[in-house]
Amino acid sequence: MSFSDRRNFVKFSAAAIAAGAIGNSKADSLRSDRRKLSTGILICGGGCAGTAAALAAARSGAKVILVEKAPFAGGIITSVGLPYFDGIADIKTKRVVVKGIALELLSKSGVCAADAKTVKIHNPTIPNTFEFKILLDRLLQERKENLTVLFNTMVCGVHSDGGRIRSVTVANKDGLTEIEAKTVIDCSGDADVAAWAGAPFEQNKEVQPLTLHFRIGHVKSTATLGKDCKEALAKAQAAGELPHYYGPGIMFLFGKDEIYVHGVRVPADPTNAADLSRAEMQGRADAHAMFRAWKRDVPAFSESYFLEAYPWIGVRESRRITGQYVLNEDDLMKGNRFDDAIATGCWYLDLHPNKTTVGSANDFAPEKVQPAPYDIPYRSLLPQKIENLLVAGRCHSATRGAHASTRVTVTAMAMGEAAGVAASMAVKGNTSVQEIDGQRVREALEKVGGGPFTEG
Ligand SMILES: Cc1cc2nc3c(=O)[nH]c(=O)nc-3n(C[C@H](O)[C@H](O)[C@H](O)COP(=O)(O)OP(=O)(O)OC[C@H]3O[C@@H](n4cnc5c(N)ncnc54)[C@H](O)[C@@H]3O)c2cc1C
C-alpha cells in the first residue's frame, strides 16, 4: 500500500518512524481513529474552478463536500481581490465564449444580462469583491441539502492505493477528518491532491512571479499620474527599496479616488511552505514600499492612505498535471479542435517574467500570442494513474505556454463546471471519470447552459 498522508501523520509521528518505532499499520490505526465523512463528490479548493464545480455537481443532485482553506469561496477573486472576468469573451468580437456558471456569476454581479451574447469589453470586472463573496455564499447555501461547505479547512493529505484515492485528510476546528469520496476534484490551483496521490505532474523550476494586490485611498487622478508613479518606483528601486515590480498597474477600479494596484512582483516557489511564507512577507514589504515612494514623491498621493492589502499573495503558476492529454501552445494558436471539448479559452498566452517590466506586465507584445477562441478537451482534466480524480483550473494538464492562457478566471470556472458535471455523471453511473466520454460531458453541459462555445 502506498500513501502520502502528509503533514498530519508526519507531524505526529515522524520522529517515531525515524526511530523505527512505528510502521504503516500504526499509521492506519491513527487514521482510522479520526473523524470520518463520506460523500459522492469531494471538491478540494473553492476558488474559480472549485466553486463552479461545486455548484454544477450539487445542482445535478450529487452529494457534494466542498473544502476551502479560506473562510469564503471565490479563490483569487476574493482572497487576492482580483475583479477580472478574463476569458469570458473573444477580444476581437466581444462575443461571449463562456456561458454557464461564469456568465451567471457575471450577470448576477450586475455586469451584463443573463443571456448576454456580447459584453462591452472583452475583460470585464465585477464592481465589488466583497459582494461577490456574498453572492457565492448565497448560491452555495441554496444547495445546502446536498452540498456541505467546509471553510477554514485545509486539505493536508491523501490516502491512495490501487490507483484510487481512498480518502483525503483535512484539518480544521474539528481536528483531522478523513473524507471518503467516490470522485475527488482537485481545484486547489496547485494540484495538491493529484501530486500527493502520486499522479504525474510538472512544475517549472522558475514559475511566474507572485503578486499581492492592494488599494490606496484618497489619491487624486491627474494627467501625469502614470508617469509620476513610474518615476517614483524607478527611484525607489535605485535606492534599494523595491527589488522588483511591474506596471505599476494602477487602476481606479472601485472608486474615484481609490487606486487598486497589482504592481508587486515576487519570485518564489508557491509549493514550498517556507518560500511561500517568505513571499507573503516580501509582498507586503514591497506593497508598502510602493505606497511610501508615491506618498513621498508624487503630489497626487499627498493625502493618500494605505487602505488594504488582500489577505494572500496571488499564485499564477505552480504544478500542472501531466494528464491524459497535455494541451499545448499549437493547439491554442492553430485552433485545434477536439471531439471531447468541454470548455473554451480565449485569453492570450500571458506569461509574467521574474523581473521588473515597466509599463506592461509582459516582456513581449500580447497580440503576437493572442489565439482565437480554442477548445479545451476533457482529457486535460483527467490525470494519469488515479481513476477517481479530476483536476480543474490552473493546474489542469497543459504545457507552461498553454497554461499561461488557460489559467485565467473564467476559463478556470468553465473547466470547474465541466468537472462538476462529469463527476456527477460518474457517481450516478457508478463508473470512473476516466470511463466517461467527453462528448457526453459536453452534451450534459449544453443541457445546463454551459460547455464550449458554439456559433449561434
Ligand atoms: C496576482 C494574480 C493576478 C491575476 N490576474 C488575472 C487577471 O487579471 N485576470 C484573470 O482572469 N486571471 C488573472 N489571474 C489568474 C487567475 O486568477 C487564476 O489562475 C485563477 O483564479 C485560477 O483559478 P483556480 O480555481 O484554478 O485557482 P484559485 O482561484 O486560486 O482557487 C484555488 C482555491 O483552492 C484553495 N486551496 C489551495 N490549496 C488548498 C488546500 N490544500 N486546501 C484547501 N484549499 C486549498 C485556495 O484557497 C483557493 O481558494 C491572476 C492570478 C494572480 C495570482
Side-chain angles (χ1 to χ4, degrees):
M1 181 184 74
S2 77
F3 71 90
S4 49
D5 190 19
R6 294 163 57 124
R7 300 183 195 184
N8 45 20
F9 176 67
V10 171
K11 192 171 156 193
F12 290 132
S13 51
I17 290 173
I22 189 167
N24 278 357
S25 59
K26 182 71 175 169
D28 285 340
S29 81
L30 278 179
R31 193 181 298 109
S32 66
D33 288 345
R34 289 177 197 156
R35 189 171 179 264
K36 282 206 172 67
L37 290 173
S38 73
T39 186
I41 300 169
L42 170 65
I43 297 161
C44 300
C48 296
T51 306
L55 289 174
R59 285 172 181 179
S60 75
K63 187 179 172 198
V64 182
I65 296 179
L66 171 67
V67 167
E68 164 57 48
K69 69 178 175 171
F72 42 75
I76 183 102
I77 295 175
T78 49
S79 60
V80 186
L82 177 98
Y84 281 95
F85 264 55
D86 292 347
I88 193 86
D90 178 8
I91 186 169
K92 280 196 188 141
T93 61
K94 317 281 184 291
R95 275 190 310 186
V96 170
V97 298
V98 176
K99 294 180 185 159
I101 288 171
L103 183 60
E104 176 188 343
L105 296 177
L106 193 60
S107 70
K108 286 185 169 155
S109 299
V111 177
C112 62
D115 59 351
K117 299 274 180 291
T118 57
V119 278
K120 284 184 198 149
I121 49 171
H122 77 289
N123 56 345
T125 55
I126 52 167
N128 188 302
T129 56
F130 181 77
E131 286 166 4
F132 192 72
K133 276 183 199 170
I134 293 176
L135 170 64
L136 298 184
D137 286 344
R138 179 165 65 76
L139 296 178
L140 292 168
Q141 281 170 318
E142 276 174 12
R143 297 287 150 182
K144 65 179 177 223
E145 279 186 16
N146 58 327
L147 168 62
T148 302
V149 178
L150 296 177
F151 288 147
N152 296 310
T153 302
M154 184 88 179
V155 173
C156 54
V158 180
H159 173 217
S160 62
D161 70 40
R164 279 188 72 79
I165 292 177
R166 301 292 163 185
S167 66
V168 169
T169 314
V170 302
N172 58 21
K173 289 300 276 183
D174 295 331
L176 295 175
T177 302
E178 291 296 317
I179 305 181
E180 291 173 354
K182 288 184 180 146
T183 299
V184 179
I185 310 180
D186 184 345
C187 295
S188 64
D190 297 323
D192 284 353
V193 177
W196 298 343
F201 66 88
E202 273 186 13
Q203 179 174 349
N204 245 55
K205 199 167 174 214
E206 185 184 313
V207 296
Q208 297 188 52
L210 283 63
T211 297
L212 182 74
H213 289 190
F214 62 99
R215 290 155 77 167
I216 301 176
H218 224 321
V219 179
K220 289 193 191 106
S221 176
T222 64
T224 59
L225 190 66
K227 176 177 153 293
D228 296 345
C229 286
K230 277 182 205 166
E231 285 172 5
L233 291 192
K235 191 174 146 193
Q237 191 175 45
E241 295 164 11
L242 189 60
H244 306 283
Y245 65 91
Y246 74 98
I250 283 180
M251 284 167 288
F252 288 89
L253 272 187
F254 299 111
K256 279 187 192 146
D257 68 345
E258 182 200 307
I259 58 165
Y260 161 74
V261 188
H262 57 79
V264 166
R265 183 164 267 176
V266 183
D269 175 358
T271 58
N272 175 306
D275 207 35
L276 181 58
S277 304
R278 176 195 62 78
E280 295 281 9
M281 292 188 261
Q282 186 68 51
R284 284 193 281 276
D286 291 356
H288 206 250
M290 292 170 99
F291 166 67
R292 289 198 310 275
W294 291 332
K295 180 116 181 153
R296 182 181 62 207
D297 295 330
V298 181
F301 284 75
S302 60
E303 291 177 34
S304 67
Y305 57 94
F306 197 101
L307 191 55
E308 69 169 342
Y310 286 88
W312 287 333
I313 199 162
V315 175
R316 291 187 171 79
E317 178 188 355
S318 58
R319 303 184 190 101
R320 292 166 282 110
I321 62 154
T322 306
Q324 299 295 356
Y325 185 81
V326 183
L327 191 69
N328 63 59
E329 292 93 318
D330 263 6
D331 291 331
L332 274 55
M333 297 307 293
K334 292 182 179 161
N336 291 341
R337 308 310 305 260
F338 295 98
D339 289 343
D340 64 336
I342 42 75
T344 298
C346 62
W347 197 246
Y348 73 99
L349 278 59
D350 185 1
L351 266 180
H352 291 219
N354 277 300
K355 63 180 183 188
T356 298
T357 55
V358 179
S360 169
N362 311 113
D363 56 359
F364 54 82
E367 59 275 14
K368 291 198 173 152
V369 284
Q370 174 64 64
Y374 59 85
D375 281 351
I376 299 178
Y378 177 60
R379 284 164 297 149
S380 76
L381 311 184
L382 288 174
Q384 294 183 36
K385 293 195 174 169
I386 306 293
E387 66 180 32
N388 61 339
L389 177 67
L390 282 158
V391 179
R394 68 173 168 81
C395 46
H396 84 125
S397 177
T399 60
R400 185 165 193 248
H403 157 278
S405 168
T406 61
R407 71 186 177 88
V408 296
T409 50
V410 167
T411 314
M413 290 175 198
M415 286 189 263
E417 182 172 5
V421 164
S424 183
M425 288 166 71
V427 169
K428 278 185 198 155
N430 200 22
T431 184
S432 127
V433 287
Q434 300 274 346
E435 298 296 322
I436 298 276
D437 181 347
Q439 293 191 37
R440 284 193 47 229
V441 178
R442 183 170 66 231
E443 286 159 19
L445 281 162
E446 277 163 11
K447 281 189 193 142
V448 291
F453 176 67
T454 47
E455 297 286 346

